[in-house]
Amino acid sequence: MRVEIEMLGSGTSAGVPMIGCECWVCRSPNPRNKRLRASVLFRVVKDGSERRILVDVTPDVRLQALRSGFTSVDAVLITHTHADHCHGLDDLRAIYWGGGKKPIDLYGYPESVASLRQTFAYIFDEDYDYKGIARINTHVFEHEPFRVAGLTVTPIPVVHGNMRVAGFRIGDAAYITDTNLVPESSIELLKGVKLLVLDALRRAPHPTHMSLPQALEVARQAGVERVFFTHINHDLEHESINSTLPPFARLGYDMLRASVEEDGSVKVHDIEPSGLPPIVALR
Ligand SMILES: [Zn+2]
Ligand SMILES: [Zn+2]
Ligand SMILES: [Zn+2]
């Protein structure tokens, strides 16, 4: 099995650049400082076929799908239902059409599914008579690993202020966003993970997100081979912060792809900034 994580977005809730901000990172011409809202696509090749598992449906999901080039997914996993992670849900309709109008399987904690059913009541209303919407089948999980599209997904619970958030492990790759605390029991679930994409908002502590030093410590405790940080705000300039990090850790960036290959090696498929499509040249 080969597990690739594609970072569809590496930015915090307001994105980078942030509307109205004139700081040097928001004004940076470097495409790696342009961050859509945080999301990843797991591309898993097993038995010769690729399964695409989308994690979260951000307000930027349309741009993210166009930029990445995927037109359908095998499933959607929800970390939690904050607006920056789920309020692109309506845009799943084009991905539903791309998948041949096969209902999309969506997995979340029970409270996440309940919240989506309330926020997007029309999508889940069988009697809603406008047909241009996605059909979504919801599924819930708790602590046990569950099967999605022939793959085993292990939920990794983490703390995000007063709520829980689900991280996800597939094979030896894992994604954890929006957390100020990864409990010891969840560090255990990360043991053996080689590639981790992990929340690191900024340099200073924050009540609901990890700081860069905290995230580095979690990655060290878990013993991962490579870590890329995500959910990054405009405090962290890509090149200058990267030059301060140990070799196994880097700031992630939009469109970065990294994988755990069949033989267990970790590969990073770096994209040169000049090779990024024009859609990221926001200003
Ligand atoms: Zn968030
Ligand atoms: Zn700024
Ligand atoms: Zn959040």
Side-chain angles (χ1 to χ4, degrees):
M1 186 168 78
R2 174 182 187 271
V3 185
E4 179 179 291
I5 296 183
E6 177 178 356
M7 293 183 70
L8 300 176
S10 57
T12 189
S13 56
V16 180
M18 185 172 76
I19 294 170
C21 186
E22 294 291 330
C23 81
W24 75 295
V25 177
C26 287
R27 286 187 295 113
S28 162
N30 184 346
R32 292 186 181 179
N33 285 319
K34 313 246 183 245
R35 301 167 181 140
L36 297 182
R37 267 62 72 86
S39 170
V40 297
L41 184 71
F42 279 93
R43 292 179 186 267
V44 184
V45 178
K46 193 181 174 195
D47 306 326
S49 72
E50 184 186 79
R51 332 280 162 92
R52 289 181 296 277
I53 312 288
L54 175 65
V55 184
D56 290 338
V57 193
T58 79
D60 298 319
V61 68
R62 174 178 163 272
L63 286 178
Q64 290 167 333
L66 288 171
R67 199 163 67 164
S68 164
F70 68 90
T71 56
S72 66
V73 297
D74 293 285
V76 174
L77 307 179
I78 299 297
T79 62
H80 68 309
T81 56
H82 279 161
D84 52 325
H85 296 265
C86 281
H87 284 200
L89 200 79
D90 189 271
D91 276 336
L92 279 181
R93 63 200 187 124
I95 293 168
Y96 163 69
W97 299 333
K101 296 199 171 179
K102 183 177 161 290
I104 293 175
D105 287 310
L106 177 145
Y107 298 77
Y109 280 140
E111 64 270 28
S112 296
V113 167
S115 156
L116 291 180
R117 282 183 168 275
Q118 185 178 31
T119 306
F120 294 92
Y122 67 97
I123 291 183
F124 299 100
D125 178 358
E126 292 294 328
D127 298 327
Y128 189 67
D129 68 357
Y130 178 65
K131 299 299 177 204
I133 53 172
R135 281 281 156 235
I136 299 171
N137 287 339
T138 59
H139 311 268
V140 297
F141 59 79
E142 280 284 347
H143 299 292
E144 293 301 314
F146 54 97
R147 299 283 288 173
V148 174
L151 308 169
T152 300
V153 176
T154 303
I156 299 175
V158 295
V159 178
H160 182 38
N162 61 0
M163 70 191 294
R164 64 173 175 171
V165 165
F168 299 105
R169 174 177 182 167
I170 300 178
D172 290 338
Y175 176 61
I176 297 178
T177 187
D178 291 58
T179 180
N180 53 296
L181 175 69
V182 180
E184 188 60 41
S185 52
S186 292
I187 300 267
E188 282 303 311
L189 295 172
L190 288 171
K191 289 287 158 71
V193 163
K194 292 178 173 166
L195 169 64
L196 175 63
V197 176
L198 180 63
D199 180 18
L201 181 74
R202 63 186 192 186
R203 286 170 290 187
H206 185 275
T208 60
H209 290 275
M210 287 195 293
S211 66
L212 193 54
Q214 287 170 323
L216 262 175
E217 184 53 29
V218 166
R220 281 204 180 95
Q221 285 172 7
V224 301
E225 208 172 302
R226 295 294 300 263
V227 63
F228 291 98
F229 299 117
T230 191
H231 214 289
I232 304 163
N233 85 358
H234 59 171
D235 178 52
L236 303 181
E237 195 283 323
H238 187 82
E239 310 296 345
S240 56
I241 293 292
N242 266 349
S243 67
T244 68
L245 294 175
F248 83 109
R250 285 288 175 272
L251 295 187
Y253 57 88
D254 287 25
M255 298 198 74
L256 172 71
R257 293 181 300 126
S259 55
V260 182
E261 299 291 311
E262 295 264 6
D263 65 4
S265 62
V266 176
K267 276 213 174 102
V268 179
H269 312 268
D270 258 323
I271 297 171
E272 286 307 308
S274 60
L276 293 169
I279 208 165
V280 301
L282 296 174
R283 58 193 271 188

